[in-house]
Amino acid sequence: MFYIPLIVGSTRRDRQSIKVAKFVLARLQQCPGVTTELLDLLEYNFPIMEERLHRRDDPPPRLQEFGDKIGRADSFIIVTPEYNNGYPGVLKNALDYLLPEYERKPVGIVTVSAGGFGGINCLAQLRLVMLGMGAFPIPENLSVSRVHDSFNEDGTPNDPAYEKRAATFLEEVLWFAEAIADRKAKEKSAAG
Ligand SMILES: Cc1cc2nc3c(=O)[nH]c(=O)nc-3n(C[C@H](O)[C@H](O)[C@H](O)COP(=O)(O)O)c2cc1C
């Protein structure tokens, strides 16, 4: 069983990315052999990062829980809007709290924008950041443009093309999760 949680990186009032997060979560829940859940930064409400989790003995509320979930994940997915060609500060703040938890972990990135470009600049930046953290962003991505019109509140897409694109994206997330899990299992059995 693979555990693949999904982080939603928008806490903005009237946030649209939550619709996309609900969609991806629902499709991931349909994948056999996968458990998942939404890690919502709005609910975690972490304070400004003063020090990383592994160096703190007084972590803010629920940070340990967040770290444990990423730490035991086989892979994880980030759904993020594009803000000023980048990703939201609240997402970077949360990601910066962790480090060993990301080691050799595949991450799938879903970007969201109100315009027609689907958050492509934010994708490039977040990929670089994840590499810096020791995770590796998978080559496939899912980008959502014109989010106000393309998704309903309950997370159903208005454009059927998103079903196919999400299926391809999740297939790749699972491929990398499985490949890494196999390798880690091999190392574990070699170590006795
Ligand atoms: C602070 C801010 C900056 C934004 N900058 C960009 C941008 O650089 N490129 C873009 O395509 N959309 C940009 N947008 C539009 C967002 O992608 C759009 O509002 C989307 O709905 C944001 O996701 P959210 O609703 O989950 O916050 C920006 C929106 C905000 C609030």
Side-chain angles (χ1 to χ4, degrees):
M1 199 66 146
F2 296 118
Y3 173 57
I4 307 177
L6 187 152
I7 299 172
V8 57
S10 168
T11 56
R12 194 178 65 85
R13 294 177 187 179
D14 191 34
R15 58 187 178 162
Q16 298 292 305
S17 304
I18 194 72
K19 303 192 297 189
V20 179
K22 282 180 189 168
F23 166 65
V24 177
L25 186 78
R27 296 302 169 271
L28 195 53
Q29 282 167 339
Q30 290 166 356
C31 296
V34 173
T35 59
T36 181
E37 66 180 312
L38 195 66
L39 307 182
D40 188 347
L41 298 186
L42 183 61
E43 286 175 16
Y44 280 114
N45 195 21
F46 295 133
I48 294 291
M49 204 276 295
E50 292 173 35
E51 182 50 283
R52 284 178 283 192
L53 175 64
H54 70 282
R55 291 174 186 249
R56 283 188 71 160
D57 50 19
D58 61 343
R62 300 191 64 197
L63 180 61
Q64 189 66 57
E65 172 203 318
F66 179 69
D68 288 347
K69 285 179 175 179
I70 298 299
R72 73 181 169 85
D74 296 288
S75 169
F76 60 102
I77 293 173
I78 300 175
V79 177
T80 179
E82 177 164 306
Y83 287 173
N84 301 315
N85 290 346
Y87 45 82
V90 70
L91 175 63
K92 183 69 158 52
N93 187 62
L95 293 173
D96 281 344
Y97 268 117
L98 309 182
L99 187 67
E101 291 83 355
Y102 301 123
E103 198 183 336
R104 291 177 172 163
K105 211 153 276 189
V107 52
I109 298 175
V110 180
T111 54
V112 177
S113 82
F117 293 106
I120 206 75
N121 289 314
C122 151
L123 172 69
Q125 291 202 20
L126 189 53
R127 279 181 164 161
L128 195 61
V129 165
M130 292 320 303
L131 286 170
M133 291 175 171
F136 47 92
I138 66 163
E140 194 68 43
N141 73 296
L142 180 63
S143 66
V144 171
S145 48
R146 299 185 186 85
V147 65
H148 291 80
D149 300 327
S150 49
F151 278 84
N152 301 308
E153 290 303 324
D154 64 357
T156 50
N158 286 320
D159 180 350
Y162 282 110
E163 293 289 357
K164 173 102 182 42
R165 292 175 53 205
T168 305
F169 170 72
L170 292 178
E171 217 171 272
E172 287 298 290
V173 171
L174 285 169
W175 191 96
F176 281 98
E178 197 175 330
I180 295 298
D182 283 353
R183 172 63 197 238
K184 285 180 180 168
K186 216 186 263 178
E187 281 177 7
K188 207 172 160 187
S189 80

